[in-house]
Amino acid sequence: MDPGEILDLFVQEASEMIREFEQGLILLERSPGDSSVLNRVFRAAHTIKGNAGIVGLESLAEIAHAMETLLEAIRKKTIVPEEPAFNALLTALDLVRVMVENVRAPVSSDRLAEARRIRAQLEACLKPAVAPYVKAAGPEPAPVSAQTATISAPPGTPAPAPAGDAEVESAAPAAIDSGARSESVRVNVRILDRLMTLAGEMVLTRNQLVQSTRLGDLSHIERVAQRVDLLTAELQDAIMATRMQSIRFVFDKFNRTVRDLARDLGKKVRLVVEDEGVELDKTIIETIGDPLTHLVRNAVDHGIESPEERQTAGKPAEGTLRLRAWHGAGQVVVDVIDDGRGIDADQVKARALSLGLARPEEARTMSPKTAMELVFRPGFTTASEVSQVSGRGVGLDVVHANLAAIGGTVQLDSTPGRGSSFRIRLPLTLAILPSLLIEVEGERFAVPQAHLVELMRVRAADVRQRIERVGGVEVTRVRGELAPVVRLKDLLGIAAPTFANGGGERRADRRVNLADRRDRPADDGLRAAPEKSAKTADARPAAERRDGPDRRVSAASAVNLAIVSAGDHTYGLVVDRLLDSIEIVVKPLGRNLNHCRCYAGATVLGDGRAALILDVVGLGRRAWIAEKAEAAAATPRAAGLAAMEQHEKLAVLLLTGGGRDLFGVPLDMVVRLQKASRAELETVGGRRVLRGPKATTPIFTVDQAIPAQPLPDNDSFYVVLFRLGKRELGLLAADVADIAEMNADFDTETHRRPGIRGSTVLGDRVMLVLDLREIVLAVAPEWKEPEEARDAGGPPRRRALIVDDSPFFLNHIAGMMEEAGYQVTKAENGAAGLNLLTRDPDGFDIVLTDIEMPVLTGFEMVERMRSNPALRKIPVIAVTSVLGAEAQRRGKDVGIDEYSIKLDRDDVLERCRRLLERGRPSAAGPGDGR
Amino acid sequence: MPSPHAPRTRRASGEYLVFLVGEVRCGVDIAQVLEINRNMDLTRVFTAPAHVRGVINLRGQIVTIIDLAQRLGVEVEEAPVSPRNVVVDSRGEAIGLLVSDIDDIISAGAGALLPPPPHLPQGVAACTLGVLPAADNLVVILDVDRIAD
């Protein structure tokens, strides 16, 4: 090994020992009796000394030796360690650190003098009866004096070696190392092994690809291409893992920072660190050092009060500063929480106004929460004198800017007297982003998946209901909360070309409410005058029109909403189309554009065109989302709206397939779940089956019906057993992840294809809801019951009308009834259902209806049925997801015969059968059983 | 965004690429020109300043395209027949300048650059390094960095 390499190794190991020493010493200071910590610290000093000697760094070895001697005395209990001793040791450590950093340069005479001084200090501590260490004038260990400590250089920069007394101070800045960029990383060998394995796989697959391309075998190429897809994803994961570092790396440094700062300011502060093993990309780790340092110093300096002040306020004399890191929805969250004096929103407002950072009208309507965020505006300084300790009032706006540069955000929450909490949100990695592609006016944009909460497609007939104007703001209900809704088109000023119905005339779209007709000037969305609707009358028969008698909106004005989260605020973006979920490579925008708040970068799509990535937070600011949310929430209507109409829930069994695929199967369709080993699966007559003790079950996999990753070649699988008609069948899955509850009206458009009912976003992944029947029929189409065979012989099929406004339940129940042998007709709401019945009173034997529906509810429909002699006799079952006594009573009054829980298939079918057999009970008596 | 090529020296090479911006003949030091292309597959960037026409994908890099006529405040009467992107290196970043047409390459000795005449429109003058006499008119030599900033 050449001398350069030896030195490198030395530096690496010494740096680790320095870190060990520092952590241990600070722990030791708090609990001096802990002998295991003492031993650790001793060993660290010893190692440094030994290694320094080997590489010939004499002065370094000497200092380490002095440190070791002092520690030995402590260990032998010849002296009791007190603050002066710890200070001396830490000062010595700082010098050691500086010397290790400059290991290749010869030691300057100034440094040698410093070393001598520090050694003398350490020796002085060995005398047990020494007078209390006086903060004497002259060479002092730094940093020592109280409030007015002048740190000569900003933290993080290695200080030059000035002459004379100032020298000792120069050690101090170096100690506050906020994370200098390093050129190497430590990588766990396991990850490297994984990379090797993947490389090997890549080689094999590459060989296969080359061969199959040469042979021109398309199906083989497809299979190999799938493998390449899978491998690339795994390779990407593994490579990203090599760059991940634990956030402890950053947090640990603060032990020293907090200790020293608290001492300087005469405060007592305890640092609590909770990191939950959070890891971040190296670049991000390096970049958050500075902002975090600023926040930590801020908390100790301005946040936490002096012990006297705290005791007067009834708080413990020692303040607590909590650093917490955890994962949430594709982001890492870092909290800096103190229990200090807190920040008064009114004072912040006043200061901002006096500095001209906020306009009076703005300040007047601001909520306390928004006012708090004024501290992030450039030019704001919280201390009346610029405090040097916190970094010369550099300002929280720099923290904000630094974080924004890496795609992060910071928010402030505070209670005067109780404390403050800064919350930083960071992306996990900078380079590759799973995102959703959306389209507005023909332009495509990418929305990072991490910010995506939900996708909503609001049908034209529902727009008025689902999107309302509250407090002057358009909102929609998302998971029980009100979220403001904005049109992306307007927000970005994408010129809208269109339209007027059929006129061919081009006029600007001047709708104020999303529910308004496009060719009317802004009004409050009331019904169109009769003559207008006649002109644009829909020629289709009433039953086919989506909305029956209410012809205000055309089917084309359905609204697609991407619900996104910008930190604490959620809002909905109105877009024209929701396209695919794709993984994109983030590319920065040029300098002319990087101040555009609306974009977080750009990417290149599959067709080679550039597309912009939306900055959800920036857009939210531009749209005044925070203000809008508050305005809406402040109205009395808001509480009522949010509580109203909780969406029907659907329990779903979550399965994983190949690669990253996540699928869901409605729980009520699952008969049983079992595990199967590879040996139990066979292929018979070209079909896969599960060989069981009693019977053989036909097995299906998702990739047989749709393009999905094939299942990994595991030794065991999970089999989801379900029934189709009279058969019991199985769906193969790699793993069963969980059971989730989702809204029943999920997105049924974006991913719709045979085999997939729809999709929703769970956490940060897209989950595809499977249609088991379609998957089976894709593989075994001959199993579909032919209609003619039914009608030819046997009893006539019963005809059922299913009425439900949720496409999922409508299809689900219809499918269920069809399987059971009924002839099914579907209707989307009470009015449509009533129309069908009125037109053909003898056409139906039984009606299954939902209750809560737009236009005409289930109750209203049945009421009208009963007052129509032709329809009076038809039995009606209400299928609902909620069974309340009140609802049941009302139902019976109105003429509903039975109630059933829509997801309980056996119950529904049993009731149908019974009602058809016996006919309607003539008196409206209480229903039986359930 | 670093340009895909090695940074060129900024010494005036003595050669200038001349092109038309509307009716005005302009030029830039050829040492700063990375390439000329016809890539008009622009992605518009809404809320960007008016002179930014959009961005394009140039071999994996996202390059901003600046409409030079807009930027310099030059009136353009009719749509240009053969617009081109002149991709230049400005402070290490590749930026595309949309021009009406490419003209020629001219050589000029050191010190040949004359101070701009007073009648130049304000927008143009602000980005001018000087003028060069060529054939029967003047070529306005532009300061690429000023344009791109």
Side-chain angles (χ1 to χ4, degrees), chain A residues 84-332:
Chain A
F86 287 110
N87 287 343
L89 282 166
L90 284 173
T91 312
L93 187 71
D94 290 338
L95 180 60
V96 166
R97 189 186 269 123
V98 169
M99 290 178 80
V100 167
E101 269 167 29
N102 296 298
V103 81
R104 285 170 202 235
V107 188
S108 69
S109 55
D110 293 330
R111 199 146 281 160
L112 282 175
E114 204 179 322
R116 273 199 300 275
R117 235 193 321 271
I118 287 178
R119 281 209 312 275
Q121 224 181 293
L122 286 167
E123 275 159 36
C125 293
L126 284 169
K127 304 186 184 58
V130 83
Y133 196 88
V134 169
K135 294 171 184 166
E140 299 176 327
V144 146
S145 52
Q147 260 76 347
T148 54
T150 42
I151 303 210
S152 51
T157 55
D165 289 339
E167 281 177 74
V168 181
E169 282 189 37
S170 70
I176 303 149
D177 169 13
S178 57
R181 270 140 239 271
S182 54
E183 290 306 316
S184 56
V185 285
R186 302 192 71 120
V187 179
N188 191 308
V189 171
R190 251 184 309 121
I191 299 181
L192 290 177
D193 285 342
R194 197 165 139 221
L195 278 172
M196 282 295 287
T197 315
L198 286 171
E201 292 282 322
M202 272 300 226
V203 167
L204 292 175
T205 313
R206 185 265 320 267
N207 295 344
Q208 285 185 318
L209 193 59
V210 166
Q211 193 186 43
S212 46
T213 325
R214 208 178 291 145
L215 295 174
D217 180 347
L218 190 61
S219 70
H220 196 243
I221 293 178
E222 276 178 0
R223 271 207 300 285
V224 181
Q226 267 188 345
R227 184 115 184 90
V228 169
D229 189 2
L230 194 62
L231 272 177
T232 312
E234 286 191 42
L235 201 59
Q236 176 193 319
D237 275 347
I239 293 178
M240 294 212 299
T242 64
R243 293 176 55 97
M244 299 296 254
Q245 276 183 350
S246 170
I247 204 172
R248 279 234 147 216
F249 201 68
V250 175
F251 280 359
D252 279 348
K253 298 198 170 78
F254 292 124
N255 275 313
R256 179 73 187 277
T257 314
V258 168
R259 176 203 179 265
D260 288 348
L261 200 51
R263 258 179 10 117
D264 287 354
L265 302 172
K267 300 185 184 176
K268 289 198 172 50
V269 182
R270 183 172 68 113
L271 181 66
V272 175
V273 169
E274 299 161 31
D275 73 293
E276 292 190 27
V278 165
E279 289 189 332
L280 290 174
D281 184 276
K282 179 172 172 291
T283 351
I284 302 186
I285 290 270
E286 282 165 2
T287 328
I288 58 169
D290 281 345
L292 270 182
T293 307
H294 187 91
L295 290 177
V296 166
R297 308 193 78 172
N298 221 26
V300 178
D301 188 9
H302 301 302
I304 301 207
E305 318 91 319
S306 67
E308 302 81 45
E309 233 185 290
R310 287 180 67 86
Q311 277 177 324
T312 318
K315 295 190 201 175
E318 191 182 48
T320 305
L321 180 59
R322 205 178 290 269
L323 279 182
R324 200 165 55 182
W326 44 283
H327 278 290
Q331 289 190 310
V332 165

Side-chain angles (χ1 to χ4, degrees), chain A residues 443-445 491-495 587-593 595-596 598-599 602-604 608-612 622, chain B residues 1 41-49 51-52 55-57 60-62 64 66 90-91 93 95 145 147-149:
Chain A
E443 304 277 346
R444 289 172 301 177
F445 300 92
L491 204 46
L492 293 180
I494 305 177
K587 294 179 183 284
L589 288 169
R591 66 177 190 265
N592 300 82
L593 298 170
H595 58 263
C596 275
C598 306
Y599 309 112
T603 186
V604 176
R609 295 204 75 231
L612 295 161
R622 195 180 162 88
Chain B
M1 175 96 259
D41 200 6
L42 282 170
T43 299
R44 284 152 70 203
V45 179
F46 305 96
T47 72
H51 58 265
V52 173
V55 293
I56 58 168
N57 165 24
Q61 241 188 93
I62 304 288
T64 311
I66 294 182
S90 166
R91 304 191 206 284
E93 184 187 333
I95 299 195
D145 292 337
I147 292 175
D149 277 344

Side-chain angles (χ1 to χ4, degrees), chain A residues 754-836:
Chain A
I756 305 278
R757 272 275 171 75
S759 63
T760 189
V761 174
L762 281 183
D764 59 349
R765 290 171 81 179
V766 174
M767 189 265 284
L768 300 175
V769 182
L770 299 175
D771 185 327
L772 293 172
R773 184 163 179 271
E774 286 174 355
I775 292 177
V776 170
L777 291 179
V779 180
E782 70 277 9
W783 285 0
K784 189 173 167 66
E785 301 279 2
E787 313 234 335
E788 316 80 54
R790 285 278 188 91
D791 290 342
R797 291 168 71 196
R798 305 299 203 144
R799 296 151 304 172
L801 173 67
I802 320 284
V803 190
D804 199 316
D805 66 318
S806 152
F808 170 77
F809 282 121
L810 193 56
N811 289 324
H812 178 74
I813 300 174
M816 191 168 76
M817 297 291 279
E818 270 179 344
E819 283 305 318
Y822 290 83
Q823 188 182 331
V824 164
T825 313
K826 299 189 272 201
E828 282 175 353
N829 58 52
L834 196 60
N835 278 329
L836 285 168

Side-chain angles (χ1 to χ4, degrees), chain B residues 3 6-8 10 32 34 87-94 144-145:
Chain B
S3 56
R8 316 243 173 149
R10 284 310 183 86
Q32 295 182 288
L34 296 172
V87 183
V88 295
D89 178 335
S90 166
R91 304 191 206 284
E93 184 187 333
V144 158
D145 292 337

Side-chain angles (χ1 to χ4, degrees), chain A residues 367-408:
Chain A
S367 74
K369 195 146 196 322
T370 323
M372 208 84 78
E373 312 255 319
L374 287 168
V375 305
F376 293 114
R377 293 210 183 166
F380 197 103
T381 43
T382 48
S384 40
E385 325 117 18
V386 163
S387 158
Q388 301 228 338
V389 176
S390 269
R392 306 153 173 211
V394 168
L396 288 167
D397 63 310
V398 176
V399 169
H400 189 268
N402 282 355
L403 288 170
I406 51 170

